Amino acid sequence: MGVFGDSYLGQEYAVTPWEVKGKVDYLRLAKEFGVQLLTEDDLNLLKDLTSGDVHYLIRRGFFYAHRGFREILNRAKLGESWALYNGRGPSGDLHVGHLVPWILTKWFVDKFNVQYFFELTDDEKFLVREGYTLEETNRLAYDNALSLIALGFTPDKLHIIVDSDDIKYLYKIAVKVAKKLTLSTVKNTFGFTDSNNIGAAFFPAIEIAVAFLPTELFGKETPVLIPTAIDQDPYFRLARDVAESLNYPKPATLYSKFLPGLTGEDKMSASNPDSALYVNDDEREVRRKIMNAFTGGQPTVELQRRLGGNPDSCPVYKYHMLIDENDEAVKKIYDDCRGGRLLCGECKLMLYDKVKSFLSRHRELRERARDKVNDYRVSVKFK
Amino acid sequence: MGVFGDSYLGQEYAVTPWEVKGKVDYLRLAKEFGVQLLTEDDLNLLKDLTSGDVHYLIRRGFFYAHRGFREILNRAKLGESWALYNGRGPSGDLHVGHLVPWILTKWFVDKFNVQYFFELTDDEKFLVREGYTLEETNRLAYDNALSLIALGFTPDKLHIIVDSDDIKYLYKIAVKVAKKLTLSTVKNTFGFTDSNNIGAAFFPAIEIAVAFLPTELFGKETPVLIPTAIDQDPYFRLARDVAESLNYPKPATLYSKFLPGLTGEDKMSASNPDSALYVNDDEREVRRKIMNAFTGGQPTVELQRRLGGNPDSCPVYKYHMLIDENDEAVKKIYDDCRGGRLLCGECKLMLYDKVKSFLSRHRELRERARDKVNDYRVSVKFK
């Protein structure tokens, strides 16, 4: 089975390098959450609608499951209104992997010419994390926004919501959502206990409220498509549950797998700074982390030459898959690794070159975005 | 012991007609909540500061307990900043009794030249009450505001907050408050269970946030004094608990007893419309309710003439006490009732005359306020 091929577009395509050797069973996860896997049919429709290749992050199976994605595509086909929504809990350690889903969102914006709402949850980050002041999470929200803007979104399409500053857009919707959610529900869904604070318990209403904001702002039914990691499903399952009773369209979701940790974890660990490449890491640091990364290679050069490596269980290879849109180049890495023609050191240097040039350009674009953040704020565009 | 006299200004003054025959033991209530009773000393200081009579609602023992009232008076004495705060869950059945605490607040505003923040909790009313939409509670908020404005407040002193419209003033403070309050705390304090909704559980943070708003808006320590009914103490005890750790000044409170029900209850019952005089009741209705009111009178005219009535357990007499600022007139009613010279029918007609002229004037002032509501909104004055 090749890495890129028709087999990845079929029912089984979700069985990709991401989980073959991993500890996370993404198929089981999807089944447990009760979400649907993307089918060949879905991808063919997406291909038809975008008249070209499906984005590599979907094609390569990084985004692999969903709720109601097909309904969004059907709306797109009929020219009906829909919008994009996702977001982030602002932090000081934004990493390259965080940008990956936004790259897909950019593709959706460009291909479908839709509005994109992005929520920076400075309130939640403050509420659930010790050691942050609200002023700090708020500052980080605007800092993180720079990286989003740097991906090339224009202010007529991207609308940034910073919860604590833009609460007036969300609160009335959130109050209606909150009335539908008991403490039992959020305890069961998110594992809260009575020792959690009341702000954390209320927060799901805020996050869900954004899903209904486009319908309010545009004055017409505008369901959102939410590209996000699969572990965010509980929020949006609740959102879908309450949508109908509140006369809002159900939000749809498109779920990705987790970002790989360079040190070998299936899901990156915030407590291990070496497992991620931060946007603010300097070149030395990026190089060190990549060169020290865990790989799917053999213990010795000889064995690697003879047996080939295991890209399917290699975080370095996964990074190539996540950030290099050139299918041929990535396929060559896969094949050369398997065939023993590519050693880990070379492969890491190739990744370093890609990350270095991406980050160097990205940091330049971030700086250019600094004066323009205000143009993207929902409060500037919707009064 | 007379109704009005020095005895009411001493330690024992809280033993007033309000509870002599009532089922609510206000002294025990104060003790249970752990609040302080107003002392002669407090009232003497208040008298000194206002160079005149202490307001009749305090003098007559309707407001009788507090937390930290003395600290507010000390600030007043030193010319330091403080403000007033109370509010209301908007409803369609605003009644005359609801206006009583606002009459006292008006006195404080006039005597101390302080700012007054008034919160209309359309969010909470919607969250805790079935059968209301948020749009309805929001509309009622602006309706109820008319009665407040009709009491004579000027826009330079009264600042009205309608939660769902003015949330931007409160949310950042509320999030900080919320982080200090666990689900356990609000469950224990307010009797919430897991079947309550997450909005109701979060709401205490919003109500408490208003107590800290003046300090934020004025950029200097500005504790609030909250004149309210004693059953609101749990909110503000929490507010005082969290204030210190958030570097806000502790709010002070001044607690009243409950409004009497015309049908004989110690506390007016929302489920019995005959127990209250609504602002929107027409004269016929007001007359009917008053004439049908429970009294402290004897079963027959003969017995009343011979034995005298019991004003101490009479809601009609309590209404005279609440709305008639003329001490002599009220004392005469008390004495004439006790002495058998005043029959219940005459006493009720006297009350009807007072209420009728108050309501007629009040409704006129409400109509005049209609065009001016906007001038009172916090959002108009503080950007």
Side-chain angles (χ1 to χ4, degrees):
Chain A
M1 186 166 84
V3 182
F4 307 112
D6 282 343
S7 61
Y8 281 83
L9 298 174
Q11 279 285 4
E12 308 87 347
Y13 96 104
V15 187
T16 67
W18 295 103
E19 68 281 344
V20 169
K21 296 281 170 71
K23 287 172 251 21
V24 177
D25 183 339
Y26 286 104
L27 283 180
R28 211 177 78 187
L29 207 53
K31 202 173 169 186
E32 276 172 14
F33 280 134
V35 304
Q36 291 181 280
L37 299 177
L38 285 175
T39 64
E40 187 167 356
D41 227 33
D42 297 329
L43 272 63
N44 283 337
L45 176 54
L46 185 55
K47 198 171 173 175
D48 285 351
L49 290 168
T50 53
S51 44
D53 273 347
V54 167
H55 192 270
Y56 71 88
L57 287 170
I58 297 178
R59 215 167 59 224
R60 295 178 192 167
F62 183 61
F63 281 86
Y64 80 113
H66 70 100
R67 289 186 189 268
F69 181 51
R70 190 59 176 255
E71 284 82 349
I72 294 291
L73 295 184
N74 289 337
R75 291 186 73 90
K77 199 172 175 177
L78 296 167
E80 292 170 347
S81 177
W82 61 283
L84 289 154
Y85 161 35
N86 57 23
R88 162 165 181 76
S91 79
D93 53 4
L94 187 69
H95 57 72
V96 176
H98 286 135
L99 310 182
V100 168
W102 309 344
I103 291 169
L104 177 65
T105 318
K106 177 70 168 58
W107 180 80
F108 274 113
V109 168
D110 292 344
K111 289 290 181 183
F112 292 93
N113 195 32
V114 284
Q115 305 292 318
Y116 176 23
F117 290 82
F118 191 89
E119 181 189 31
L120 283 150
T121 59
D122 59 341
D123 48 356
E124 189 207 19
K125 181 65 83 175
F126 165 73
L127 284 164
V128 303
R129 196 71 75 80
E130 282 311 311
Y132 273 120
T133 65
L134 183 58
E135 289 70 22
E136 279 161 359
T137 60
N138 183 262
R139 185 187 58 76
L140 289 168
Y142 291 97
D143 171 89
N144 289 187
L146 298 179
S147 276
L148 181 67
I149 295 169
L151 296 180
F153 296 99
T154 51
D156 60 324
K157 287 289 179 293
L158 170 61
H159 313 297
I160 292 177
I161 296 157
V162 176
D163 282 349
S164 79
D165 286 328
D166 300 319
I167 188 66
K168 66 172 180 168
Y169 293 93
L170 304 178
Y171 189 67
K172 287 187 188 192
I173 308 173
V175 165
K176 292 175 191 180
V177 171
K179 194 171 181 176
K180 300 283 179 187
L181 299 177
T182 64
L183 291 175
S184 278
T185 301
V186 299
K187 281 172 145 188
N188 291 336
T189 307
F190 303 106
F192 289 142
T193 68
D194 281 351
S195 61
N196 281 101
N197 70 60
I198 60 173
F202 178 67
F203 177 74
I206 301 279
E207 180 152 330
I208 290 170
V210 183
F212 306 142
L213 181 62
T215 293
E216 289 287 344
L217 289 178
F218 302 142
K220 63 178 171 185
E221 188 170 275
T222 306
V224 292
L225 173 65
I226 305 165
T228 189
I230 185 144
D231 57 349
Q232 298 298 299
D233 181 60
Y235 276 110
F236 303 113
R237 187 175 53 72
L238 283 189
R240 289 172 62 86
D241 285 349
V242 301
E244 258 182 326
S245 62
L246 292 175
N247 272 321
Y248 288 120
K250 282 189 180 188
T253 54
L254 187 58
Y255 292 128
S256 76
K257 295 163 186 172
F258 303 131
L259 298 162
L262 279 176
T263 40
E265 308 87 349
D266 270 2
K267 191 180 173 184
M268 257 187 11
S269 149
S271 59
N272 179 0
D274 279 2
S275 76
L277 302 170
Y278 298 110
V279 166
N280 292 322
D281 280 346
D282 62 23
E283 292 185 3
R284 262 179 96 87
E285 195 67 356
V286 169
R287 195 177 202 282
R288 185 186 63 77
K289 286 181 183 178
I290 292 177
M291 297 316 285
N292 288 341
F294 174 89
T295 71
Q298 302 293 347
T300 66
V301 173
E302 285 68 31
L303 282 170
Q304 176 86 358
R305 293 278 184 218
R306 185 145 49 93
L307 304 173
N310 290 305
D312 295 337
S313 63
C314 179
V316 175
Y317 175 66
K318 286 178 187 169
Y319 262 89
H320 281 293
M321 289 238 299
L322 281 177
I323 66 171
D324 190 342
E325 58 183 312
N326 182 333
D327 284 359
E328 288 312 307
V330 179
K331 188 176 187 319
K332 188 170 183 332
I333 291 170
Y334 187 86
D335 291 343
D336 286 354
C337 173
R338 288 286 292 265
R341 294 180 296 280
L342 182 62
L343 297 180
C344 292
E346 303 166 62
C347 183
K348 285 173 169 176
L349 280 175
M350 288 164 70
L351 179 62
Y352 170 62
D353 281 342
K354 290 175 190 172
V355 172
K356 187 177 64 174
S357 68
F358 172 81
L359 276 185
S360 143
R361 174 91 179 125
H362 183 71
R363 282 192 282 246
E364 190 189 319
L365 292 167
R366 269 178 64 90
E367 286 315 307
R368 281 197 218 160
R370 216 169 272 279
D371 296 336
K372 295 186 294 180
V373 184
N374 228 31
D375 302 342
Y376 290 84
R377 291 190 54 192
V378 71
S379 56
V380 169
K381 291 170 278 183
F382 302 93
K383 294 294 179 186
Chain B
M1 186 163 86
V3 183
F4 306 111
D6 282 345
S7 61
Y8 280 85
L9 298 175
Q11 279 285 4
E12 308 88 347
Y13 98 103
V15 188
T16 67
W18 294 103
E19 68 284 342
V20 169
K21 296 280 168 69
K23 287 172 257 7
V24 178
D25 184 338
Y26 286 104
L27 284 180
R28 211 178 75 186
L29 207 53
K31 203 173 169 185
E32 276 172 13
F33 280 134
V35 304
Q36 290 182 278
L37 298 176
L38 285 175
T39 64
E40 186 166 357
D41 228 32
D42 296 329
L43 273 65
N44 283 337
L45 176 54
L46 185 56
K47 198 170 174 175
D48 285 351
L49 291 169
T50 54
S51 44
D53 274 345
V54 168
H55 192 269
Y56 71 88
L57 287 170
I58 297 178
R59 215 167 60 225
R60 294 176 193 171
F62 182 63
F63 281 86
Y64 80 112
H66 70 100
R67 289 187 190 268
F69 181 51
R70 190 60 178 254
E71 283 82 349
I72 294 290
L73 295 183
N74 288 338
R75 291 185 73 90
K77 199 170 175 178
L78 295 168
E80 291 170 347
S81 178
W82 61 283
L84 289 154
Y85 161 35
N86 56 24
R88 162 167 180 75
S91 78
D93 53 4
L94 187 69
H95 58 71
V96 176
H98 286 135
L99 310 183
V100 167
W102 307 346
I103 292 169
L104 177 65
T105 318
K106 176 72 167 59
W107 180 80
F108 273 113
V109 168
D110 292 345
K111 290 290 182 182
F112 291 93
N113 195 31
V114 282
Q115 305 292 317
Y116 176 24
F117 290 83
F118 190 89
E119 181 189 30
L120 283 149
T121 59
D122 60 341
D123 49 353
E124 189 207 20
K125 181 65 82 174
F126 166 73
L127 284 164
V128 303
R129 195 72 72 81
E130 282 313 311
Y132 273 119
T133 64
L134 183 59
E135 289 70 23
E136 280 162 358
T137 59
N138 183 262
R139 185 187 60 74
L140 289 168
Y142 291 98
D143 172 89
N144 289 188
L146 299 178
S147 276
L148 181 68
I149 295 169
L151 296 180
F153 295 99
T154 50
D156 61 322
K157 287 289 179 294
L158 170 61
H159 313 296
I160 292 178
I161 296 157
V162 176
D163 281 349
S164 80
D165 287 329
D166 300 318
I167 188 66
K168 68 171 179 170
Y169 293 94
L170 305 178
Y171 189 67
K172 287 188 187 191
I173 307 173
V175 165
K176 292 176 191 178
V177 170
K179 193 171 182 176
K180 300 282 180 188
L181 299 177
T182 64
L183 290 176
S184 278
T185 301
V186 299
K187 282 174 143 186
N188 291 336
T189 306
F190 303 107
F192 289 140
T193 68
D194 282 350
S195 61
N196 281 101
N197 70 60
I198 60 174
F202 179 67
F203 178 75
I206 301 278
E207 182 153 328
I208 290 170
V210 183
F212 306 142
L213 182 62
T215 293
E216 289 288 343
L217 288 178
F218 302 141
K220 62 178 171 185
E221 188 171 275
T222 306
V224 292
L225 172 65
I226 306 166
T228 189
I230 185 146
D231 57 349
Q232 298 298 300
D233 181 61
Y235 276 109
F236 304 113
R237 187 175 53 73
L238 282 190
R240 289 172 63 87
D241 284 350
V242 301
E244 260 182 327
S245 62
L246 292 175
N247 272 320
Y248 288 120
K250 283 189 179 188
T253 54
L254 188 56
Y255 292 127
S256 77
K257 295 162 187 171
F258 303 132
L259 298 161
L262 279 176
T263 40
E265 307 87 349
D266 270 1
K267 191 181 175 185
M268 256 190 10
S269 148
S271 60
N272 179 2
D274 279 3
S275 76
L277 302 170
Y278 297 110
V279 165
N280 292 322
D281 281 345
D282 63 23
E283 291 185 3
R284 263 179 95 88
E285 196 65 354
V286 169
R287 195 177 203 281
R288 184 185 66 75
K289 287 181 181 178
I290 291 177
M291 296 316 285
N292 288 340
F294 175 89
T295 72
Q298 301 293 347
T300 66
V301 172
E302 285 67 32
L303 283 171
Q304 176 85 359
R305 293 278 184 220
R306 186 144 49 91
L307 306 172
N310 288 305
D312 294 339
S313 63
C314 179
V316 175
Y317 175 68
K318 286 179 187 169
Y319 262 90
H320 281 294
M321 289 237 299
L322 280 177
I323 68 172
D324 189 343
E325 58 183 311
N326 183 332
D327 283 359
E328 287 312 306
V330 179
K331 186 176 187 321
K332 188 169 183 330
I333 291 170
Y334 186 86
D335 291 343
D336 287 353
C337 172
R338 288 288 292 266
R341 295 181 296 278
L342 181 62
L343 297 180
C344 291
E346 304 167 60
C347 183
K348 284 173 168 177
L349 281 175
M350 289 164 69
L351 179 61
Y352 170 62
D353 281 343
K354 290 175 189 171
V355 172
K356 186 176 67 173
S357 67
F358 172 81
L359 276 185
S360 142
R361 174 93 180 122
H362 184 69
R363 281 193 283 247
E364 191 189 318
L365 293 168
R366 269 179 63 91
E367 286 314 307
R368 282 197 217 160
R370 217 170 271 279
D371 296 336
K372 297 184 295 179
V373 184
N374 229 30
D375 302 343
Y376 290 85
R377 291 190 54 192
V378 71
S379 55
V380 170
K381 291 170 279 184
F382 302 93
K383 293 295 177 185

